[in-house]
Each structure stands twice: as structure tokens, then as C-alpha cells.
Amino acid sequence: METIGFIGLGIMGAPMAGHLLDAGYPVVASDHRSKPPADLVAKGLKTVTGNDAVAKAADIIITMVPDTPQVADVLFGENGVASGLSKGKLVIDMSSISPIETKEFAKKINDLGCDYLDAPVSGGEVGAKAASLTIMVGGEDKAFERAKPVFEKMGKNITLVGPNGVGQTTKVANQIVVALTIEAVGEALVFASKAGADPAKVRQALMGGLAASRILEVHGERMIKRTFAPGFRIELHQKDLNLALEGAKTLGVSLPNTSTTQQLFNSCAANGGAKEDHSALVRALERMAGHEVA
């Protein structure tokens, strides 16, 4: 089995790397900024110092970090992945970042004789822990086929959607749908609750009809139970919607409801909620209604 280098062992990355270890893959990570999680070390995670050392030790290098600048730094910064690559290796970025800059990153890695896939994910912390992530991949067929057995240990719905950059474009589209659906669920529960209905029973009823969705199931429950510990932070969804709105401006496309939902996320962040789960978007609606769902 090929050795996997994993950079970014956070809320999402740690369980993803754990699944690879459980499947028998040798996995290596860097300890130069923080100590890797003890449970991964107990499973056999090896550590080296520096992202360049990770690249030297691994056949496939996966990055899972918050935003475009972090990916750029991990790949091309001081002691970055690029400086440790040799021909024939594969770099997979599973972060959610700019589609435009992704194409530039891919070209730089390709120029070093290595393959590159952009493979952002959807499913949040729940999907990462359950190995049920949706993985949207941009890149060449041969690189995708090489990576597919690795992806299958972390996700269920795995699709090669096009060349480099298209994986990230697909993720931006995904984040538009997720954000607007969270907003719709929040509006519905605020409306029903303020009208005097039991929001838990309303949610239960809606789950049996056309309004049923994974977001109503998971995030509707979070809104009712007030469980806003992050699976996916508001500040990260703000970043993704910024990518959507910047792309829309470049393309000459209007995204009016995306813009409105971003303003609601901005309201949450301005009131100290940037690090809460994105289901806490409902708090902005509650402030305007003067009424809390629960």
C-alpha cells in the first residue's frame, strides 16, 4: 500500500487520517507546528518534522487545511511540500479553496513531474467520522484512479467531475446549496415556533414530506437542541460563500440569495459566533424575530 502523507489533522482531517490508518495504510504527518492527535499515534501514525519531510516520506500527499493561503503556504512556503517532491508522486488537496488558484497550484505541481487532484469534501465532521464524505474531484483520469482506493476509505459518493479546478467549483456550488438550505430551515423553524407550534414536532412532520433533507435532519435538530459546537464553522462557510460571490462577479452571474445568506453569517460573526457551527445561522433570524426556536 502506498504511504500517505497527511497535512491538516483538524476536525475533519484527524478522522479522515484515522480511517486510512484503520485500513492499513502507512500514514505520516508533520509535528513541526503541533503534536498529532494521540489516538492517531496509537494507531501507528508516523511523524516527521516539516511538510517537505512529509512529501519525501510519502507517495501520496493529502492536504486538509482551512483556506487558500494555508494551502499555498503548505505547498510552496518555506519547507513546503513542493521542495520535498520527486517525480511520480501525487498531491491531493482536500481543502475548500479558490478554483482559480487551484489551477495555478496544479500547474506548479505538474511542472515538478507530479500529479495533482483537487478533491474537496462535503459531509462535515459527521461525515468525516463516519467515512461517508462526498468527494468532488478535479484532475486527470489516471491520477483519480490511483487515488480512488484512498478516497473510498474516507467517503461514499466519489465523483471525478472534470479537470483541475472543477472539483473546487463543485464544492462552491455545494456550499451555496447548503447555506441556503440552512437558512430556509432556520426561517421555517423560527416561523413555526413563534406561531406557537412545537419545533421538534414540526421538524418530525417535515421529515416525512418533500421538505425532507439531510440539513433539516441534522441542522434542524441542532437549532432545536441548541448544539452549536462546530462540525463546520460559520467563519469557514463565510469563506466559501466569498468564493461564490467573487466567482459570480467574475462570471457576471447574480447570486441574490447567496448574498443575503452571507449577510446573515456576517451578523452571526459580528455577534461573536464565527466559530460556532453553521447551523447557528438561525441565531441571526432569531434576533430579527425577537424569538428563539427552542
Side-chain angles (χ1 to χ4, degrees), residues 65-99:
V65 296
D67 201 352
T68 308
Q70 286 78 30
V71 175
D73 181 57
V74 164
L75 294 180
F76 307 111
E78 185 177 1
N79 299 320
V81 166
S83 61
L85 291 175
S86 54
K87 288 186 178 181
K89 297 196 175 189
L90 170 61
V91 176
I92 306 172
D93 177 38
M94 302 188 78
S95 319
S96 297
I97 67 168
S98 165

Side-chain angles (χ1 to χ4, degrees), residues 4 27 39 51 53 68 70 72 76-77 80 87-88 93 114 134-135 137 154 174 182 217 221 234 267 281 284:
I4 311 296
V27 180
D39 62 323
N51 293 326
T68 308
Q70 286 78 30
F76 307 111
K87 288 186 178 181
D93 177 38
C114 300
T134 290
I135 305 176
V137 189
M154 300 181 285
N174 177 87
I182 289 174
E217 178 187 355
E221 183 176 48
I234 280 174
S267 172
L281 171 73

Side-chain angles (χ1 to χ4, degrees), residues 5-226:
F6 210 110
I7 300 170
L9 299 173
I11 289 174
M12 299 286 290
M16 291 163 68
H19 294 310
L20 296 176
L21 288 163
D22 290 339
Y25 280 97
V27 180
V28 60
S30 176
D31 61 4
H32 75 294
R33 288 186 177 170
S34 61
K35 293 184 70 173
D39 62 323
L40 297 184
V41 174
K43 288 182 177 184
L45 178 74
K46 305 298 182 185
T47 58
V48 294
T49 300
N51 293 326
D52 54 344
V54 172
K56 289 175 183 177
D59 304 299
I60 298 174
I61 300 92
I62 295 173
T63 58
M64 187 62 173
V65 296
D67 201 352
T68 308
Q70 286 78 30
V71 175
D73 181 57
V74 164
L75 294 180
F76 307 111
E78 185 177 1
N79 299 320
V81 166
S83 61
L85 291 175
S86 54
K87 288 186 178 181
K89 297 196 175 189
L90 170 61
V91 176
I92 306 172
D93 177 38
M94 302 188 78
S95 319
S96 297
I97 67 168
S98 165
I100 295 171
E101 294 198 50
T102 288
K103 293 177 184 179
E104 297 174 2
F105 297 164
K107 186 179 185 307
K108 289 180 180 180
I109 296 298
N110 292 159
D111 288 346
L112 296 173
C114 300
D115 289 318
Y116 188 96
L117 295 173
D118 48 293
V121 304
S122 179
E125 182 183 12
V126 172
K129 288 182 174 179
S132 61
L133 293 167
T134 290
I135 305 176
M136 303 153 256
V137 189
E140 297 294 328
D141 287 349
K142 63 183 179 68
F144 176 72
E145 291 303 322
R146 178 180 178 184
K148 194 172 181 182
V150 177
F151 290 148
E152 287 172 343
K153 301 299 181 290
M154 300 181 285
K156 299 295 185 186
N157 181 24
I158 303 159
T159 307
L160 178 63
V161 289
N164 284 129
V166 177
Q168 294 294 352
T169 296
T170 305
K171 177 57 187 290
V172 171
N174 177 87
Q175 294 303 80
I176 292 172
V177 173
V178 170
L180 271 60
T181 308
I182 289 174
E183 196 277 339
V185 169
E187 280 196 20
L189 293 180
V190 168
F191 168 78
S193 178
K194 191 158 187 178
D198 181 340
K201 291 183 178 179
V202 170
R203 172 183 164 277
Q204 181 181 353
L206 295 179
M207 283 300 298
L210 191 58
S213 71
R214 182 68 171 154
I215 288 171
L216 177 61
E217 178 187 355
V218 175
H219 293 313
E221 183 176 48
R222 282 177 173 267
M223 292 173 190
I224 293 164
K225 293 186 175 179
R226 320 306 287 175

